[in-house]
Amino acid sequence: MPTVLLTGAAGYIGSHTWLALQSAGFEVVGLDDFSNSSARVLDRLKELGGRTPVFERASVTDAAALDGVFSRHRIDAVVHFAAFKAVGESTAQPLSYYANNVGGLVSTCEAMRRHGVKTMVFSSSATVYGEPKYLPYDEVHPLAAMNVYGRTKLFGEQILRDLEASDPAWKVAWLRYFNPVGAHESGRIGEDPRGTPNNLMPYVTQVAVGRREFLQVFGGDYDTPDGTGVRDYLHVMDLAEGHVAALRHLLEQRASATVNLGTGSGTSVLQLVAAFERASGRPIPYRIVERRPGDLPAFWADATLARELLGWQARRDLAAMCADSWRWQSRNPTGYD
Ligand code: UD1
């Protein structure tokens, strides 16, 4: 079976994809610098996977370290997760975002080229679509980033398009994620943000477990059914399995692809809160506050192409997303620490 290098392997999506790839029979080499993750993930992956994970501690911006990794392992493809992802922070620290997200992508591709590896799955985001011209977003919707983080994803996509055009041996899957939530069914790995969570679900789970007093709902006057923001939440294990499907497509069809990974339906903040209360049996106190600057009212995916091209579709519903997020948070109230 092919060996896959996962950059950002200890992160939220990386760790879940690691398990999904192993279940599908792939060999995995994980790489992470722990700049936004915990080494304890590796113990949990060992426990869940039944073997010691093959792991390299390095930054994707370190060319010499990457050369070492490619020399020690016979890599067939790279799934490139390693990146920073906080919108507010990206505005305050643009250089660190460009260095890590764009610079790290370039150095990873250079190392791949030096070692003859030309197959990559790239973590992009629905944020590259910008203000909706129409909904749902399909893959031909115009692109327009709204902040520094979004630009790092847009530039990353473009760099890989230029690379593929320069050498057709490169095969790339551009995966545009919608809003991943949930955790592995075991409750042993999950999302563990540092500091105050920026995203909705980890904030909700921290309220449920008593780490935060109440949820602030950012805006109650949007033009949506209940006035709160609407997003396409998908279970992180479905997302992980989407990577397996994309990788198989690249390796078997030898064809690049740009694909949305979402469920195809939208859920409001208050609908998510209600579903979480049902799944956890805990009340989630909330207050409706001002809109968060830069937030879009509503967006969700057209998930048709993923089904037709990759044979993938999300299988886990909102109740499962909430139940699994809660299992993880309630059994690990302070995350991995
Ligand atoms: C955010 C980023 C996006 C990034 C994604 C993944 C912004 C503007 N967008 O997406 O670029 O790709 O995270 O990291 O930051 N909400 C609350 N209270 C909270 C948190 C969120 O009401 O405490 C609401 C938001 O207003 C939104 C929804 O919940 O309507 C989802 O928010 P969030 O989880 O932050 O995801 P996005 O904003 O979609």
Side-chain angles (χ1 to χ4, degrees), residues 65-221:
L66 289 173
D67 271 333
V69 171
F70 280 93
S71 305
R72 283 188 291 279
H73 308 277
R74 196 192 46 78
I75 304 295
D76 297 293
V78 175
V79 181
H80 186 66
F81 294 110
F84 297 145
K85 61 163 189 176
V87 172
E89 187 182 68
S90 76
T91 308
Q93 301 168 30
L95 292 178
S96 96
Y97 271 67
Y98 287 120
N100 194 45
N101 295 13
V102 179
L105 172 65
V106 172
S107 48
T108 300
C109 290
E110 283 176 332
M112 290 171 71
R113 192 187 49 191
R114 283 193 297 274
H115 295 268
V117 182
K118 297 183 175 179
T119 302
M120 175 179 268
V121 177
F122 177 65
S123 299
S124 188
S125 166
T127 197
V128 299
Y129 294 122
E131 299 257 0
K133 305 277 186 241
Y134 55 85
L135 284 170
Y137 290 131
D138 57 20
E139 289 83 355
V140 298
H141 185 283
L143 304 179
M146 297 176 23
N147 51 59
V148 172
Y149 164 74
R151 275 188 284 284
T152 69
K153 291 295 169 187
L154 202 51
F155 296 164
E157 284 205 6
Q158 190 59 52
I159 287 165
L160 291 168
R161 285 184 210 287
D162 293 340
L163 185 55
E164 188 207 32
S166 74
D167 174 0
W170 278 87
K171 301 298 173 204
V172 179
W174 291 267
L175 301 184
R176 295 177 177 153
Y177 309 157
F178 283 70
N179 290 59
V181 297
H184 188 260
E185 290 73 0
S186 64
R188 296 297 286 161
I189 61 170
E191 186 169 15
D192 183 20
R194 292 191 178 164
T196 307
N198 294 306
N199 297 117
L200 178 61
M201 184 63 99
Y203 207 103
V204 167
T205 63
Q206 290 193 9
V207 171
V209 85
R211 282 171 68 181
R212 316 248 165 220
E213 205 183 332
F214 61 92
L215 172 72
Q216 297 185 72
V217 174
F218 298 141
D221 58 353

Side-chain angles (χ1 to χ4, degrees), residues 5 31 54 66 111 135 154 157 177 231 238 246 324 327 329:
L5 176 66
L31 179 147
V54 179
L66 289 173
L135 284 170
L154 202 51
E157 284 205 6
Y177 309 157
R231 296 290 183 272
D238 279 325
D324 292 337
R327 188 176 303 106
Q329 188 73 83

Side-chain angles (χ1 to χ4, degrees), residues 286-315:
Y286 67 84
R287 292 181 200 161
I288 296 187
V289 301
E290 288 294 289
R291 295 179 179 191
R292 180 170 62 180
D295 267 359
L296 292 168
F299 62 84
W300 60 95
D302 181 333
T304 312
L305 186 65
R307 193 177 68 237
E308 290 179 353
L309 192 68
L310 307 181
W312 172 91
Q313 65 185 71
R315 298 189 287 121

